Amino acid sequence: MAERADPSQVPADYETDAGDRHDQLRLWLRLLSCTFLVENEIRTRLAQSFDTTLPRFDLMAQLDRVPEGLTMSALSARLMVSNGNTTGIVERLVAEGLVRRTVSDTDRRSTSVSLTAKGRAAFKTMAAQHEAWIRELFGELEPAQTKRLLSLLGAAKEAVRTSLATPRPAAAPRRRKRAKA
Amino acid sequence: MAERADPSQVPADYETDAGDRHDQLRLWLRLLSCTFLVENEIRTRLAQSFDTTLPRFDLMAQLDRVPEGLTMSALSARLMVSNGNTTGIVERLVAEGLVRRTVSDTDRRSTSVSLTAKGRAAFKTMAAQHEAWIRELFGELEPAQTKRLLSLLGAAKEAVRTSLATPRPAAAPRRRKRAKA
DNA sequence: TCCGGATCCTTGACGTCTAAAAATTCTCGC
DNA sequence: GCGAGAATTTTTAGACGTCAAGGATCCGGA
């Protein structure tokens, strides 16, 4: 955190002046800053308390739910990240002895990933602390507000999913210029 | 997107079974997945339509609000990222001719960053499209729901800020093991 | 059988992010 | 003036993240 910019020094919320007629944009910006605020704090605490990272924690959380293990693809889908990304995180967790990879008997292309005993124990500890942190961070929120927010966010998520499922006109796919040395 | 894992293949929402007594944790997980959903889509569209990235767009958005420019630190604070990070993004935007750096007359340590004419024009176009996308994604949401959500998220954000401002016991700061070659 | 396509995963190039250390420059008490 | 310390930014090392390309394997017909 030593060098991290201090948002409290900024005169106001740079999320609030998007105009009155643009509630959806404002909603998005607020969602973003809210998530960012919590995420950064959790990331820092995970590093300080457990010498780990959010992606590692998230991956272990998914594995903890499925004792028999998950394939790389299933894991990637759950984490909503690319397969290539998952490869790297699993690699590091294996190096730390928290996770195990097993090549499938029936399909040699596919490998199953699962928590080791050490990994399961480590996750248990971290998960408890993690939830305590979340409770702490949202502690000021009334239970009724929490429930209402939960429900509205559910609706928002559904709305976005619906919109994403509806194919768009596909506006002239412009090729990338960058990405070539 | 070619290789990106498909979340729709996942049996259900892996965000919903955190238990009934843990609303705050559920709230956090839902917040996270909601943000992620929108963020990934916007990121993809920015790449396809404008050959740019979210961080570049965000940085330009901040500069667009302050025609006279911002120092690196001020910019970092507004973006809520580290100074080192800002350095890299600004570098690339300068290379693209969208942003300009000026060393301060009164303090040679500090540099002011501002949009070029080209950058301002590019941002104008992108910002309009960006808002249209957001409107599209949240389009299914009732205006009343949007307003309610906006207000509740404001409360949530305030709650988190309050919690962050309250100094914690500072549980035994464990030193990092990694981060040494 | 054998070959073309699909599937699973990893690799490679690049961009974004952090924390911490290093490099500059400024400020201020003496 | 001068030197200690503060302030501003860049640099560095490493972890994530994307997409696209490649390698291995599997499967389903001719």
Side-chain angles (χ1 to χ4, degrees):
Chain A
M1 204 92 81
E3 180 261 353
R4 184 63 167 288
D6 182 0
S8 71
Q9 298 299 47
V10 175
D13 266 348
Y14 282 86
E15 161 255 289
T16 50
D17 68 335
D20 282 359
R21 299 164 308 160
H22 309 292
D23 281 350
Q24 288 157 330
L25 183 54
R26 296 179 66 207
L27 171 58
W28 168 235
L29 295 176
R30 189 160 297 180
L31 202 55
L32 205 51
S33 70
C34 225
T35 300
F36 211 60
L37 209 54
V38 177
E39 193 172 345
N40 275 341
E41 183 66 17
I42 296 296
R43 184 202 321 289
T44 302
R45 293 191 186 182
L46 275 179
Q48 289 183 347
S49 299
F50 300 111
D51 188 31
T52 192
T53 66
L54 214 31
R56 279 162 160 95
F57 177 78
D58 288 345
L59 194 150
M60 292 176 74
Q62 293 303 333
L63 290 186
D64 189 61
R65 300 174 171 203
V66 188
E68 67 273 22
L70 287 169
T71 66
M72 292 296 288
S73 292
L75 193 48
S76 300
R78 277 172 149 99
L79 293 170
M80 299 202 288
V81 302
S82 69
N83 261 340
N85 187 9
T86 304
T87 296
I89 302 174
V90 166
E91 231 161 50
R92 289 171 209 113
L93 286 173
V94 168
E96 294 178 29
L98 300 172
V99 142
R100 168 182 40 234
R101 314 183 49 155
T102 324
V103 176
S104 163
D105 292 336
T106 63
D107 186 341
R108 249 174 312 173
R109 291 169 304 179
S110 147
T111 66
S112 175
V113 186
S114 55
L115 286 180
T116 62
K118 179 181 170 191
R120 194 170 305 283
F123 177 72
K124 194 166 149 53
T125 304
M126 292 193 293
Q129 181 62 80
H130 176 261
E131 177 156 5
W133 286 335
I134 296 300
R135 274 200 229 278
E136 176 196 333
L137 290 175
F138 288 106
E140 299 278 329
L141 216 54
E142 301 289 336
Q145 286 184 310
T146 303
K147 284 209 184 299
R148 186 93 183 97
L149 202 39
L150 207 41
S151 140
L152 281 170
L153 279 176
K157 191 164 154 187
E158 215 33 66
V160 173
R161 269 200 206 292
T162 301
S163 168
L164 286 180
T166 309
R168 292 182 305 138
R174 209 177 293 189
R175 214 46 255 125
R176 297 199 64 135
K177 298 173 298 199
R178 244 187 312 281
K180 259 294 170 286
Chain B
M1 204 91 81
E3 181 262 353
R4 183 62 167 289
D6 181 0
S8 71
Q9 299 299 48
V10 174
D13 265 349
Y14 283 86
E15 162 252 289
T16 49
D17 68 333
D20 280 0
R21 299 164 308 159
H22 309 292
D23 281 350
Q24 286 158 330
L25 183 54
R26 295 179 67 208
L27 171 59
W28 168 235
L29 295 178
R30 189 161 295 181
L31 202 55
L32 207 49
S33 71
C34 224
T35 300
F36 211 62
L37 210 54
V38 177
E39 193 171 345
N40 274 340
E41 182 65 16
I42 295 296
R43 185 199 320 287
T44 302
R45 294 191 187 182
L46 275 178
Q48 289 183 345
S49 299
F50 300 112
D51 189 31
T52 193
T53 66
L54 213 34
R56 280 161 161 96
F57 177 78
D58 288 346
L59 194 150
M60 291 176 75
Q62 293 303 331
L63 290 184
D64 188 63
R65 300 174 171 201
V66 187
E68 69 272 21
L70 288 168
T71 66
M72 291 297 287
S73 291
L75 193 48
S76 300
R78 276 171 150 100
L79 293 171
M80 298 201 288
V81 302
S82 69
N83 260 341
N85 187 7
T86 304
T87 297
I89 302 175
V90 165
E91 233 162 47
R92 289 171 208 112
L93 286 173
V94 166
E96 295 177 29
L98 299 172
V99 141
R100 170 182 38 234
R101 312 184 51 154
T102 323
V103 175
S104 163
D105 292 338
T106 61
D107 186 342
R108 248 173 312 176
R109 288 170 305 181
S110 142
T111 66
S112 175
V113 185
S114 56
L115 286 179
T116 61
K118 179 181 170 189
R120 195 168 304 283
F123 177 72
K124 196 168 147 52
T125 304
M126 293 192 293
Q129 182 62 79
H130 176 261
E131 178 156 5
W133 287 335
I134 297 299
R135 273 199 231 278
E136 177 196 332
L137 290 175
F138 288 105
E140 300 278 330
L141 217 55
E142 301 289 337
Q145 286 183 311
T146 304
K147 284 208 184 301
R148 187 90 184 100
L149 202 39
L150 207 42
S151 142
L152 281 170
L153 279 175
K157 190 165 155 184
E158 213 34 66
V160 173
R161 271 203 204 291
T162 301
S163 168
L164 285 181
T166 309
R168 291 182 305 139
R174 210 176 293 188
R175 212 47 256 128
R176 299 199 62 133
K177 298 175 296 199
R178 244 186 313 281
K180 259 296 171 283

